[in-house]
Amino acid sequence: MNEHLIRQFYTCFQNRDWKGMQACYGDDAFFYDPVFLNLEGGEVRAMWEMLLRNAKDLQLSADRIISEDEYGSCHWKASYTFSTTGRPVVNKGKALMKIVGGKITEHQDQWSFWNWSRQALGLPGALLGWSNFLQRKVSRQARGNLDKFMAAGTASGSNSSQS
């Protein structure tokens, strides 16, 4: 059953169906990745809505799906144009998920910030992508964009009681 939920989540992701992705999460879901760091509940839903509303040429695949008890994982590959710089990105990572009651309650995406920043940011990313300075700067900018998106009232998933 958990394997089916993970496949459903990534099928929705591939189809840019943020509402379908949101429905895969529990009410108080937790998300972490190298850019967004710690998001909870409605923030998780709003992040996916914001990212997918802005995705113009996203191509996504997921494979090696493993599910055991309450935990699941998969490897994924996302190809897209980074909207801030217009640079093409191919990012590969691994998702780790905790699934309770048929919903994702914890989701961690692991991927190399330096590999991503080289592609997305060009020379500055290649030179400074290994540094905490650049990672913090990108994280602050991403968090600021998410906060603005949620404050504008356009995030339909920002209400943590929505499932």
Side-chain angles (χ1 to χ4, degrees):
M1 180 171 174
N2 292 345
E3 186 175 323
H4 174 74
L5 179 65
I6 295 168
R7 284 189 196 287
Q8 177 183 351
F9 179 84
Y10 282 96
T11 297
C12 290
F13 197 166
Q14 182 179 5
N15 294 328
R16 290 183 252 169
D17 175 9
W18 49 265
K19 289 181 182 179
M21 292 174 71
Q22 291 172 342
C24 293
Y25 282 106
D27 288 344
D28 297 323
F30 174 82
F31 178 86
Y32 174 89
D33 83 353
V35 168
F36 282 97
L37 303 178
N38 302 317
L39 300 178
E40 296 181 29
E43 296 171 333
V44 177
R45 291 173 183 80
M47 173 200 61
W48 291 121
E49 181 179 352
M50 177 184 75
L51 291 176
L52 291 181
R53 281 182 183 258
N54 293 323
K56 303 297 181 231
D57 61 352
L58 173 70
Q59 294 181 351
L60 183 102
S61 62
D63 60 14
R64 293 185 273 168
I65 296 173
I66 299 172
S67 175
E68 190 172 314
D69 298 325
E70 292 184 336
Y71 296 93
S73 67
C74 72
H75 289 82
W76 52 261
K77 177 181 170 184
S79 303
Y80 59 94
T81 301
F82 184 54
S83 60
T84 304
T85 61
R87 295 179 58 86
V89 172
V90 177
N91 199 17
K92 297 177 183 178
K94 181 175 183 177
L96 306 169
M97 298 176 177
K98 182 175 183 182
I99 300 169
V100 178
K103 299 286 185 177
I104 301 166
T105 59
E106 296 176 23
H107 179 175
Q108 179 179 357
D109 274 349
Q110 299 173 338
W111 44 271
S112 168
F113 181 84
W114 183 71
N115 284 338
W116 174 86
S117 68
R118 286 184 318 165
Q119 298 173 75
L121 306 175
L123 186 59
L127 295 175
L128 298 172
W130 56 269
S131 71
N132 288 334
F133 166 78
L134 185 61
Q135 190 168 359
R136 282 193 306 267
K137 180 179 178 182
V138 170
S139 291
R140 279 193 305 271
Q141 183 177 4
R143 182 61 203 220
N145 290 341
L146 180 59
D147 289 344
K148 287 177 195 169
F149 183 77
M150 292 175 69
T154 55
S156 64
S158 60
N159 180 347
S160 64
S161 66
Q162 180 178 341
S163 54

